[in-house]
Amino acid sequence: MNDEVEGVRQGIVPEARALLAAARRAFGGQPHVAGLLDDCARRLDQPLRVALAGQLKAGKSTLLNALVGQDIAPTDATECTRMVTWYRHGSTPRVGAISADGARADVVVRRRPGADGLPGAHGLTFDLSALRWPAGAQREVDHLAVEWPAATLARTTIIDTPGISSLSRAVSRRTERLLADETADDTLPAADAVVYLLRRLDAADIGFLEQIGTGEHGPLGVIGVVSRADEIGSGRIDALHSARDVASRFAGELERTGLCQEVIPVAGLLAFAAATLRQREFDAFEALAAVPADDLGLALLSADRFAGSDLPLPVPPPLRAHLAARFGLFGIRLAVTLIRLGARDSSSLATELTKRSGLEELRTVLDVQFAQRADQLKAHSALTGLARVLTAHPGTAADQLLPRVRTLLADVHGFAELRLLGHLRTDELPLPPEDLTELHRLIGGTGVAAHLRLGLPPDATSRQLRDQALSAVRKWRSRAAHPLADQFTATACRTAARSAEGLLDLLQDPPTTPFARITPPR
């Protein structure tokens, strides 16, 4: 039964397919429109699309490398970082430049060695200087397409975007056009969800997030990341604690405006370096751990000082410069401290560095809020594309589909759940611990499968699932109506009750409309 529930989760994917098929039949005599609808339908079967956005030098490419666990995105300030770049799964590495008319030219990938032959901090770059277009005609590059055999990309297509506050308005406009262009008529949204990187929270960030969040055609899922979190504390060993305080402040501001579901601090440089830690680097950290703490502290006052040739440290200056570029001062201090505390090999050190970088917390949030809700996010994109097509090409029998499409697009309870999950990370509800655990589970905090939400084993029967869902509806409706409940608590309880109602609806035989309101019997 659980498999069946997962198959029709929230009912939105099957209904989206049916609506697209009906529209396709209505536009069968119009090849251009039928092709657009086919693109919408294919979107439902493709990997989730997540865009990385933020201001210039926010650390988007570094975070992408950390999430993938491989050095596949250039991080040096070359022409390729001013392009929108799509990272998809492929059987072999391949990079291409794509023009506006769809022509492709292969791009040369170069790697530069670092200290003593080790790959440098910016060891990969895409060379756009000698593109060979088909038929020899010179074209302007519209975007780059990277195919790479990485497991992460098999599940998620990642779109790396140029900084929104670039000195070149044309460069910034590429990101705005991709994610927040309200002038598009019948085109499909580029991204299903957005990870927005913040170094601070200023008018440019708020303005862009408002474009995404308030526009009719923007992506629904938005998570904030306080990137380069290690720099907030000037590289001190407690830098991530300072970053967490900043993230909480940003989260409060963004959640009040409804622009972001959650804000997570991540030290992207450290996360990527940990994912690709090499034995030579571990040996260097181990040697530095033997240096008296005061002497090493003085050496780490700045990256230039640490890499200087005048310091009597047991690691050669070129390798020290490499460590500073790869790990940053915070990463070096943390790695040395962890070795002094007992990290005995490169594997255990990498695990501890990753844990402290914030990357695992971000991956968990991405899994709960994006990956486990991928069907809903992709269906929203497909239905948004369908709505654009129907609006731009009126006068057919497909016009009667538009009200239902708009109704589905307006049903955003899943994202009320996401916002509440974000609040629960920073705000404490005046509820008993067991009720808080149940509420967190019911709104999808541990997974979106019915048995996980209801706290039942995977082999629970249909009757057990329905009984538990009905009990949850009654319980959380009662909590929401309590006269002493404050507004936030009442809203949280109503959200939990709505989630239980949605489950109860799905568990009917047959299910009715997605998340239809169920009035529990008295």
Side-chain angles (χ1 to χ4, degrees):
M1 179 62 192
N2 287 332
D3 291 339
E4 294 176 13
V5 171
E6 277 301 287
V8 294
R9 183 179 348 142
Q10 299 177 10
I12 196 169
V13 171
E15 187 161 4
R17 291 191 193 280
L19 288 166
L20 285 163
R24 181 67 170 77
R25 289 191 295 271
F27 287 104
Q30 301 182 43
H32 170 69
V33 179
L36 294 172
L37 295 171
D38 289 342
D39 288 341
C40 293
R42 281 192 292 269
R43 184 65 160 270
L44 296 171
D45 298 315
Q46 294 171 344
L48 186 72
R49 296 181 183 181
V50 176
L52 302 182
Q55 294 200 45
L56 188 67
K57 304 299 289 182
K60 296 181 291 295
S61 299
T62 300
L63 182 61
L64 190 155
N65 285 334
L67 287 169
V68 174
Q70 297 183 43
D71 187 10
I72 68 171
T75 55
D76 51 348
T78 57
E79 184 181 0
C80 59
T81 61
R82 297 191 289 271
M83 299 283 180
V84 173
T85 306
W86 292 67
Y87 291 85
R88 296 183 175 92
H89 185 265
S91 56
T92 57
R94 186 186 181 196
V95 181
I98 312 298
S99 65
D101 63 357
R104 180 188 179 104
D106 287 336
V107 174
V108 175
V109 179
R110 303 188 188 280
R111 292 188 182 274
R112 292 175 295 177
D116 297 335
L118 286 168
H122 307 298
L124 178 147
T125 189
F126 299 157
D127 186 357
L128 305 180
S129 62
L131 298 177
R132 295 184 178 180
W133 296 101
Q138 188 63 31
R139 291 173 168 86
E140 183 176 347
V141 178
D142 179 74
H143 66 276
L144 301 178
V146 178
E147 297 175 14
W148 211 272
T152 299
L153 298 178
R155 302 183 298 271
T156 306
T157 293
I158 302 178
I159 310 169
D160 193 8
T161 66
I164 64 166
S165 57
S166 172
L167 295 177
S168 168
R169 175 59 184 158
V171 171
S172 297
R173 179 61 184 152
R174 290 169 183 160
T175 300
E176 295 170 7
R177 187 169 59 247
L178 185 83
L179 299 177
D181 190 353
E182 286 299 303
T183 63
D185 49 10
D186 58 3
T187 56
L188 192 60
D192 304 308
V194 173
V195 173
Y196 190 86
L197 280 69
L198 301 149
R199 297 184 68 182
R200 53 193 179 276
L201 187 60
D202 59 21
D205 296 311
I206 294 293
F208 188 77
L209 287 169
E210 284 178 341
Q211 284 183 276
I212 295 175
T214 60
E216 180 183 354
H217 300 140
L220 280 178
V222 181
I223 289 176
V225 169
V226 178
S227 61
R228 308 178 73 155
D230 51 314
E231 297 178 4
I232 289 177
S234 301
R236 299 191 310 268
I237 196 70
D238 63 346
L240 280 177
H241 293 291
S242 301
R244 193 166 297 279
D245 292 339
V246 171
S248 296
R249 191 167 69 249
F250 288 176
E253 178 66 27
L254 292 171
E255 286 170 1
R256 278 194 296 274
T257 59
L259 297 178
C260 207
Q261 287 134 23
E262 198 150 349
V263 181
I264 307 294
V266 178
L269 184 67
L270 176 62
F272 173 60
T276 55
L277 178 68
R278 299 166 179 87
Q279 185 61 43
R280 184 73 176 277
E281 294 166 336
F282 175 81
D283 293 341
F285 287 134
E286 196 170 42
L288 291 171
V291 175
D294 290 345
D295 293 345
L296 187 59
L298 289 173
L300 287 168
L301 288 175
S302 73
D304 289 340
R305 177 177 174 80
F306 177 69
S309 58
D310 57 331
L311 293 178
L313 294 175
V315 175
L319 185 51
R320 277 183 265 143
H322 167 87
L323 294 177
R326 277 259 292 162
F327 292 84
L329 296 181
F330 169 73
I332 295 171
R333 290 190 179 101
L334 182 57
V336 169
T337 299
L338 290 171
I339 287 175
R340 287 171 176 166
L341 290 175
R344 291 290 175 256
D345 53 49
S346 59
S347 177
S348 60
L349 179 61
T351 299
E352 291 300 320
L353 289 175
T354 300
K355 185 187 303 181
R356 287 163 172 78
S357 72
L359 184 66
E360 289 305 316
E361 183 180 7
L362 175 60
R363 281 182 170 144
T364 298
V365 172
L366 291 176
D367 178 59
V368 171
Q369 301 205 12
F370 289 171
Q372 294 190 32
R373 301 170 191 265
D375 285 350
Q376 186 176 6
L377 290 164
K378 291 189 292 184
H380 180 272
S381 294
L383 289 169
T384 297
L386 174 56
R388 290 179 178 181
V389 170
L390 297 178
T391 302
H393 303 278
T396 72
D399 290 349
Q400 62 184 319
L401 303 175
L402 193 54
R404 181 57 186 160
V405 172
R406 287 175 171 160
T407 297
L408 287 173
L409 289 172
D411 185 3
V412 290
H413 174 71
F415 295 93
E417 291 182 329
L418 295 181
R419 285 189 291 273
L420 179 55
L421 285 170
H423 277 297
L424 292 179
R425 294 170 61 86
T426 55
D427 298 330
E428 186 172 342
L429 289 172
L431 295 173
E434 60 272 17
D435 281 354
L436 283 174
T437 299
E438 181 183 342
L439 185 147
H440 183 266
R441 186 181 67 234
L442 190 58
I443 63 175
T446 58
V448 298
H451 72 282
L452 292 175
R453 288 179 182 260
L454 295 171
L456 294 174
D459 58 352
T461 66
S462 301
R463 179 61 180 270
Q464 289 173 323
L465 291 167
R466 285 196 296 270
D467 288 349
Q468 188 74 357
L470 181 57
S471 175
V473 170
R474 290 169 170 165
K475 173 179 177 176
W476 292 103
R477 281 294 171 198
S478 175
R479 293 281 195 279
H482 195 285
L484 296 182
D486 60 78
Q487 183 177 357
F488 176 43
T489 301
T491 299
C493 293
R494 281 194 296 270
T495 300
R498 186 82 169 89
S499 297
E501 290 171 350
L503 289 171
L504 190 58
D505 187 39
L506 286 176
L507 293 163
Q508 301 302 314
D509 190 18
T512 58
T513 57
F515 278 103
R517 193 176 198 84
I518 303 296
T519 303
R522 298 185 180 276

